[in-house]
């Protein structure tokens, strides 16, 4: 094949040896494309027009409205048939039999018999009705003519004109003739418009029932997103759930399947309905298909909750409005109301909202508490919000151990009697000794005279799994962590669980990812209030809340990690739970660190002043007078019983067995005698400080001598 070479310019330098000169190859133009045939262009135009979105939308609309009319006629015909025959009663009988409700079946059978008897009576009446109707017409006509003639006679007597006798009769005949003329005029247009009105009525019925295939329905109806929950939708969702016995029973029921449902009630941001399952269908079969049921109801899985009420063979469905649970709830009353106070014994902590949108408040009176969940789901904030509310009761005392140590509880410095923050083994040892000091205080209270009232003492440990997993051992080779009888932390918690409630010594714990290793069974079952945020598995849910709650429908393992942050499932008698349920789902208020500091500042203003200990002194050598000065802190005076309690917390071994007599003897010897103020015995800070100063001065003088 030859090439046309065009030299653009003459080269001035010879090309290097072994190379060829640069050439430009000119490719001949392609032959021109012939005109597209008309039939091809027409076909393309027809295809474009036929597949255009507007054409498809118009075709769907035409099919939809035509089927609305057709199926509307079918619906009206079925309703008419139901009204004229006993088919409705027969369907209800089949539905009751399919549901295993023989009493209802007998009742519907009795109604069917009454309907048939009444219908037979009406039909027998029709045999005599023509004769009676003819007689009635003749009698009525005669009476009417007689009345009109009598009226004419009265008029003739009044007017002295005999012709007025037939005037009322003539007027009546003229009125009847007018009505006939009106009917003659209207009859023609009515015959033309009447069918159109009938078709419009059938179309309206079909449109309200969405009586058309899904592909022909509008996009918003096809998706069903946000579609209101109706009995037919619930029954269809249950039928398509994939439970053969349930589907078979609903099919046999037909349109009477809605008899399984109780009334659909508005419940907060959703609706609630009780479903009585047919015989042969268990409640756990429906519970196990929560996701499919939610999708059948055009909802997401987290928007449908299934619980088990008291009635047998019944499940309670709560279905949220589409997207309602993704909207945040309002701020906590602790933040918005700076005058709020707390009452440990009679009050309830404002914790959040339940799924109905009602306020969820928790009683903390004499209840041990356990909150668990995966990491970063809002466990600390949920636990802290309860402590913030309780801090507004100035009688409540706190011992706190934060084994995360990132400052989540720093605002309680100056409010808690002890605050230990950190994740190391040394911090676990300190927290363990803090809990053991609470056990000593508990034993002291138990040994007090009957009727003695003690202030609430909350022993709070956040990230408690760190304590249970700690490998450290003491001098006697006893482990601090673990779940055996020689574990110091485990046994201290168990002792408080066993006896602390009676003397207002309560154990609160927050822990992550519960297992038998980091949350022993005896500890988790010792809590009166158990709450769980999102978890990974059902077995963890059972550890967190117990078998009864999970069997009753509690499912924190179905909460969405990250998306349902702050939402927890609560099993407790301290919160209002709907009748027949074993748990309740609560969306907790979020209180950030700044708001928490503002609340603790208000709590500190209610108190005389608290010196927070950041470590537990474990030295054998101790100075009682110096320790008293330390626990008194900056307060001008402190009640003697509070001084004793603080000394026991500071050094349980040295002061755990002290009584008022021991304290008074020491202070009397030091010249810092306790005295009465407002009717109670107190220890003066100035007296103790002066006694320390005098002792140090005397000691220095003796040394100089």
């Amino acid at each position: 094949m030859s090439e046309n070479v065009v030299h653009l310019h003459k080269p001035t330098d010879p090309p290097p040896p072994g190379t060829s000169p640069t050439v430009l190859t000119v490719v001949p133009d392609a032959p021109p494309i012939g005109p597209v045939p008309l039939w091809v262009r027409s076909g393309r135009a027809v295809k474009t027009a036929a597949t255009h979105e507007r054409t498809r939308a118009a075709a769907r609309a035409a099919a939809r409205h035509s089927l609305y009319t057709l199926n509307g006629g079918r619906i009206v015909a079925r309703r008419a048939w139901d009204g004229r025959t006993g088919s409705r009663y027969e369907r209800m009988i089949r539905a009751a039999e399919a549901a295993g409700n023989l009493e209802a079946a007998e009742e519907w059978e009795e109604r069917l018999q009454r309907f048939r008897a009444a219908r037979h009576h009406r039909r027998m009446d029709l045999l005599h009705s023509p004769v009676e109707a003819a007689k009635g017409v003749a009698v009525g006509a005669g009476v009417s003519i007689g009345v009109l003639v009598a009226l004419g006679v009265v008029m003739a007597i009044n007017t002295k004109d005999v012709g007025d006798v037939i005037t009322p009769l003539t007027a009546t005949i003229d009125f009847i003739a007018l009505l006939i003329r009106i009917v003659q005029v209207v009859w023609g247009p009515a015959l033309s418009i009447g069918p159109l009105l009938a078709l419009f009525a059938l179309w309206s019925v079909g449109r309200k029932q969405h009586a058309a295939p899904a592909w022909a329905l509008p996009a918003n109806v096809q998706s069903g997103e946000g579609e209101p929950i109706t009995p037919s939708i619930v029954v269809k969702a249950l039928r398509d759930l994939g439970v053969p016995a349930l589907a078979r029973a609903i099919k046999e029921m037909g349109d009477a399947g809605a008899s399984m449902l109780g009334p659909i009630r508005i419940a907060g941001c959703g609706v609630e309905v009780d479903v009585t399952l047919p015989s042969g269908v268990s409640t756990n079969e429906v519970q196990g298909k929560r996701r499919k049921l939610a999708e059948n109801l055009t909802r997401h899985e987290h928007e449908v909750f299934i619980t088990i009420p008291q009635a047998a063979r019944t499940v309670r469905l709560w279905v949220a409005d589409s997207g309602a649970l993704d909207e945040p709830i309002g701020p906590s009353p602790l933040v918005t109301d700076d005058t709020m106070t707390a009452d440990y014994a009679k009050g309830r902590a404002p914790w959040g909202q339940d799924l109905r949108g009602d306020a969820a408040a928790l009683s903390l009176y004499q209840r041990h508490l356990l909150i668990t969940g995966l990491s970063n789901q809002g466990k600390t904030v949920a636990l802290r919000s309860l402590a913030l509310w309780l801090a507004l009761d100035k009688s409540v005392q706190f011992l706190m151990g934060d084994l995360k140590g990132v400052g989540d509880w720093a605002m309680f410095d100056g409010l808690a009697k002890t605050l230990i923050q950190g994740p190391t083994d040394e911090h676990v040892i300190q927290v363990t000794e803090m809990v053991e000091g609470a056990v000593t205080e508990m034993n002291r209270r138990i040994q007090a005279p009957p009727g003695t009232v003690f202030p609430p003492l909350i022993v709070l440990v956040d990230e408690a799994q760190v304590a249970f997993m700690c490998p450290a051992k003491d001098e006697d080779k006893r482990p601090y962590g673990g779940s055996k009888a020689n574990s110091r932390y485990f046994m201290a918690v168990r002792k408080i669980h066993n006896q602390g409630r009676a003397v207002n010594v309560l154990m609160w714990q927050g822990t992550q990812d519960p297992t038998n290793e980091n949350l022993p069974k005896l500890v988790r079952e010792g809590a009166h209030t158990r709450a769980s945020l999102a978890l990974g598995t059902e077995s963890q849910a059972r550890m967190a809340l117990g078998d009864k709650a999970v069997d009753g429908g509690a499912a924190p393992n179905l909460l969405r990690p990250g998306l349902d942050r702050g939402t927890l499932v609560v099993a407790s008698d301290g919160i209002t739970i709907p009748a027949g349920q074993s748990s309740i789902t609560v969306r907790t208020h979020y209180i950030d660190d700044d708001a928490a500091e503002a609340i603790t500042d208000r709590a500190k203003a209610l108190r005389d002043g608290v010196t927070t200990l950041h470590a537990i002194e474990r030295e054998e050598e101790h100075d009682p007078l110096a320790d008293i000065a330390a626990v008194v802190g900056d307060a001008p005076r402190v009640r003697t019983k509070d001084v004793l309690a603080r000394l026991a917390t500071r050094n349980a071994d040295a002061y755990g067995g002290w009584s008022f007599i021991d304290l008074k003897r020491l202070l009397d010897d030091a010249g810092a005698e306790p005295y009465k103020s407002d009717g109670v015995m107190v220890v003066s800070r100035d007296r103790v400080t002066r006694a320390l100063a005098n002792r140090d001065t005397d000691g220095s003088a003796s040394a100089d001598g």
Side-chain angles (χ1 to χ4, degrees), residues 331-346:
S332 170
L334 290 171
V335 177
T336 58
D337 184 3
D338 57 5
T339 63
M340 176 175 284
T341 57
D343 187 338
Y344 162 75
K346 300 178 181 179

Side-chain angles (χ1 to χ4, degrees), residues 351 353-354 360-363 369-371 382 386 528-533 544-545 549 554-556 559 566-578 581-588:
W351 211 7
Q353 294 179 0
D354 62 15
L362 180 68
S363 172
L369 176 68
L370 172 65
I371 299 181
L386 298 176
H528 302 98
T529 295
R530 299 167 71 173
S532 176
L533 294 107
L545 299 177
L559 295 173
T567 299
L568 45 75
V569 183
V570 186
S572 171
D573 61 350
I575 193 169
T576 302
I577 297 178
Q581 297 181 198
S582 57
S583 64
I584 186 172
T585 301
V586 176
R587 304 172 69 198
T588 58

Side-chain angles (χ1 to χ4, degrees), residues 30 188 236 279 320 378 386 412 427-428 458 526 606 654 657 700:
K236 184 176 182 296
S279 178
L386 298 176
F412 281 86
H427 291 101
V428 172
I458 306 300
L606 298 174
S700 299

Side-chain angles (χ1 to χ4, degrees), residues 608-631:
D608 295 333
V610 176
T611 301
T612 299
L613 305 180
H614 296 276
I616 305 299
E617 299 292 338
R618 301 191 302 276
E619 292 81 5
E620 294 183 0
E621 296 295 332
H622 57 275
D623 185 344
L625 190 59
D627 288 342
I628 292 172
V631 299

Side-chain angles (χ1 to χ4, degrees), residues 141-153 168:
V143 172
S144 299
I145 293 173
V147 170
L148 292 174
V149 171
L151 181 60
V153 171

